[in-house]
């Protein structure tokens, strides 16, 4: 049996690997998809179990399994769900995985009576280690209860390591992106300073030249004025 500290540590992780929900979806002539999203890493086994009892022939329940990556991968698409349906897929990207439903109303039914046509959906999504059928493995390999539990823990630990590696890769990618951004920002700042200095030189260059010319002219005028003053001065002649 697994010790208590390990069990307490892994309990939240095991809880996040599986999700189950039950809801009703009303039929419509142009139905909008209702999606339930769970995050899954790349190359992860996901098992989707759907139970939806048939409720009349005037509505059709369709299901589509997609992800939220840039590629918008479509893993499965099935129309006319009846009773129990079970699907297993392997994800292609680190992204949210969506299980989407829409209930199509038959054209013979008026839109104002659509509320009378409802399908109940019981959805169960198992991701990663929780999606593995350990009972079948135990029968095939003749494993004891303890060995089965250890196999489960091994799968959970592997998922934790994979997620940590993914977080490290994402951190490195974000760090590189920040370095490139700040380098670009520094280059833009330096170019802006150069342009402003050039603009200042263009604006004040002629002004400096004009001031220098005015200063030279004033100096010359002052020199001419002194010469004229010297010529006008009459020195007194003193007699004996």
């Amino acid at each position: 049996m697994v010790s208590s500290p390990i069990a307490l540590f892994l309990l939240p992780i095991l809880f996040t690997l599986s999700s189950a929900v039950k809801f009703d979806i009303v039929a419509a002539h142009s139905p909008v998809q209702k999606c339930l999203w769970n995050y899954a890493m790349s190359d992860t086994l996901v098992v989707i179990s759907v139970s939806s009892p048939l409720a009349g022939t005037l509505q059709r329940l369709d299901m589509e399994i997609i992800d939220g990556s840039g590629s918008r991968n479509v893993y499965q698409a099935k129309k006319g769900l009846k009773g129990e349906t079970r699907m297993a897929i392997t994800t292609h990207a680190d992204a949210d995985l969506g299980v989407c439903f829409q209930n199509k109303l038959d054209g013979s039914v008026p839109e104002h009576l659509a509320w009378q046509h409802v399908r109940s959906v019981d959805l169960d999504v198992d991701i990663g280690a929780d999606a593995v059928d350990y009972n079948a493995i135990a029968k095939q390999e003749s494993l004891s209860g303890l060995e089965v539990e250890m196999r489960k823990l091994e799968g959970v630990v592997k998922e934790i390591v994979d997620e940590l590696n993914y977080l490290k890769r994402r951190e490195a990618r974000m760090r590189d992106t920040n370095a490139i951004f700040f380098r670009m920002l520094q280059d833009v700042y330096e170019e802006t300073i150069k342009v402003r200095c050039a603009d200042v030189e263009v604006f004040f260059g002629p002004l400096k030249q004009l001031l220098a010319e005015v200063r030279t002219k004033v100096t010359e005028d002052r020199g001419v004025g002194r010469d004229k003053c010297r010529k006008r001065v009459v020195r007194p002649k003193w007699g004996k």
Side-chain angles (χ1 to χ4, degrees), residues 96-134:
D96 289 329
L97 184 71
V99 183
C100 302
F101 298 90
Q102 60 180 7
N103 194 4
K104 179 72 174 178
L105 183 65
D106 189 86
S108 62
V109 181
E111 189 69 36
H112 68 277
L113 297 178
W115 61 272
Q116 298 179 354
H117 302 272
V118 182
R119 289 286 294 271
S120 296
V121 178
D122 192 352
L123 174 65
D124 189 7
V125 180
D126 296 319
I127 302 173
D130 205 47
V132 179
D133 189 354
Y134 288 101

Side-chain angles (χ1 to χ4, degrees), residues 58-111:
L58 298 179
Q59 54 184 328
R60 188 192 71 205
L61 183 64
D62 302 337
M63 182 179 72
E64 187 178 42
I65 304 173
I66 58 177
D67 66 24
S69 66
S71 302
R72 194 71 175 180
N73 297 305
V74 178
Y75 297 93
Q76 291 279 356
K78 188 172 182 179
K79 295 183 177 182
L81 293 179
K82 300 176 183 178
E84 300 283 343
T85 302
R86 185 178 176 88
M87 299 180 181
I89 64 168
T90 301
T91 57
H92 301 329
D94 299 324
D96 289 329
L97 184 71
V99 183
C100 302
F101 298 90
Q102 60 180 7
N103 194 4
K104 179 72 174 178
L105 183 65
D106 189 86
S108 62
V109 181
E111 189 69 36

Side-chain angles (χ1 to χ4, degrees), residues 87-197:
M87 299 180 181
I89 64 168
T90 301
T91 57
H92 301 329
D94 299 324
D96 289 329
L97 184 71
V99 183
C100 302
F101 298 90
Q102 60 180 7
N103 194 4
K104 179 72 174 178
L105 183 65
D106 189 86
S108 62
V109 181
E111 189 69 36
H112 68 277
L113 297 178
W115 61 272
Q116 298 179 354
H117 302 272
V118 182
R119 289 286 294 271
S120 296
V121 178
D122 192 352
L123 174 65
D124 189 7
V125 180
D126 296 319
I127 302 173
D130 205 47
V132 179
D133 189 354
Y134 288 101
N135 293 328
I137 295 176
K139 292 179 180 179
Q140 183 178 0
E141 301 183 13
S142 301
L143 300 178
S144 64
L146 180 58
E147 289 173 330
V148 172
E149 293 299 323
M150 293 302 296
R151 188 71 65 88
K152 290 181 181 179
L153 293 178
E154 181 182 354
V156 172
V157 170
K158 181 180 181 300
E159 288 189 347
I160 295 173
V161 173
D162 292 341
E163 187 167 357
L164 289 176
N165 291 332
Y166 164 74
L167 293 175
K168 289 181 180 179
R169 294 194 303 270
R170 188 175 67 174
E171 181 184 5
R173 187 166 60 250
M174 293 178 65
R175 186 169 57 248
D176 294 341
T177 302
N178 289 337
I180 294 173
F181 172 75
F182 283 116
R183 187 161 57 247
M184 292 174 59
L185 187 62
Q186 184 178 4
D187 294 341
V188 171
Y189 173 76
E190 292 177 355
E191 291 296 327
T192 303
I193 294 298
K194 291 179 182 179
V195 171
R196 289 187 176 180
C197 291

